[in-house]
Amino acid sequence: MTENAFIHRFEPATRAGSPPLLLLHGTGGDENDLLRLGSMISAGSALLSPRGRVLEHGMPRFFRRLTEGVFDEDDVRRRAQELGDFVSEARQRYGIAAPVAVGFSNGANIAAALLLLKPDVLAGAILLRAMVPLSDPPRADLAGKPVLLLSGQGDPIVPAGNSARLAALLSQAGASVTHRVLPAGHQLSQADVMLARDWIGNVDAKAA
């Protein structure tokens, strides 16, 4: 791969027709963090899991933030382009279709940015505890692209109004958005896994 390469893990598909997943970890995670989650959500899918290239006090992230909940939006745009280029190169290298992103927290935010900035990179997205990544996003064409947004009712990091605004923003761009607010905080629960598994099963069935 070129200079766009990320440290990453790739696990090939073990079940034909399963949608490939792009796994995007939260702050302080790495390329190993979401592999088990990916297998639980879609058993047999190819898994592409990069490590974020931005360090915050030594913790990997996918883009810079100024304070908690306040993003460096120039960096969001640049890092989304880099990640999009990496995914395009990885698709050629590993022979996979456009993936469905599965992002948690910071990883969900960069996945949302990818949808808005480079819509063709992803086949859809599961956004776990995501926020609006850009205050002035470009006009994207997400016609029919499936998106599952799972928010936590007691999330101290993501305000309820922010996640609702993200759902509306993606819907206005044409995405087919399912937004569920769970009785949870910022961390994931078993309900997240079950809802994500059921959702991707329905998406997979429709694609077939």
Side-chain angles (χ1 to χ4, degrees):
M1 285 190 164
T2 69
E3 67 277 2
N4 292 317
F6 283 62
I7 295 170
H8 67 281
R9 291 275 304 272
F10 176 75
E11 296 197 356
T14 58
R15 184 166 64 92
S18 301
L21 303 184
L22 172 67
L23 305 175
L24 301 169
H25 63 76
T27 300
D30 64 21
E31 65 278 13
N32 302 301
D33 265 28
L34 299 186
L35 291 173
R36 184 167 176 267
L37 177 65
S39 295
M40 291 170 69
I41 289 173
S42 184
S45 283
L47 305 176
L48 177 63
S49 184
R51 182 193 302 179
R53 289 164 55 168
V54 174
L55 290 179
E56 180 180 277
H57 307 301
M59 297 183 296
R61 284 174 53 85
F62 286 98
F63 60 82
R64 291 182 64 240
R65 60 182 169 183
L66 306 177
T67 60
E68 189 168 287
V70 180
F71 304 152
D72 180 337
E73 295 196 13
D74 289 338
D75 198 55
V76 172
R77 292 173 185 272
R78 182 163 69 90
R79 301 296 180 176
Q81 292 291 335
E82 289 178 354
L83 183 59
D85 290 343
F86 163 74
V87 172
S88 297
E89 292 176 10
R91 286 187 59 191
Q92 291 187 348
R93 177 177 180 178
Y94 297 120
I96 58 174
V100 173
V102 178
F104 168 63
S105 192
N106 178 247
N109 298 336
I110 196 67
L114 262 183
L115 285 170
L116 295 167
L117 294 166
K118 294 177 74 76
D120 293 340
V121 168
L122 300 176
I126 297 172
L127 306 178
L128 306 166
R129 311 301 187 265
M131 297 177 67
V132 175
L134 297 166
S135 58
D136 186 24
R139 190 183 297 273
D141 180 7
L142 300 176
K145 206 173 286 284
V147 176
L148 175 64
L149 177 59
L150 297 179
S151 305
Q153 189 174 35
D155 193 332
I157 296 174
V158 183
N162 191 291
S163 54
R165 196 160 78 250
L166 176 59
L169 177 66
L170 296 173
S171 294
Q172 288 162 9
S176 176
V177 178
T178 301
H179 184 202
R180 295 286 300 273
V181 180
L182 307 179
H186 194 67
Q187 295 305 310
L188 300 182
S189 67
Q190 189 62 31
D192 289 282
V193 177
M194 294 175 64
L195 286 167
R197 185 173 58 212
D198 290 347
W199 178 87
I200 206 164
N202 288 334
V203 168
D204 199 12
K206 288 178 183 176

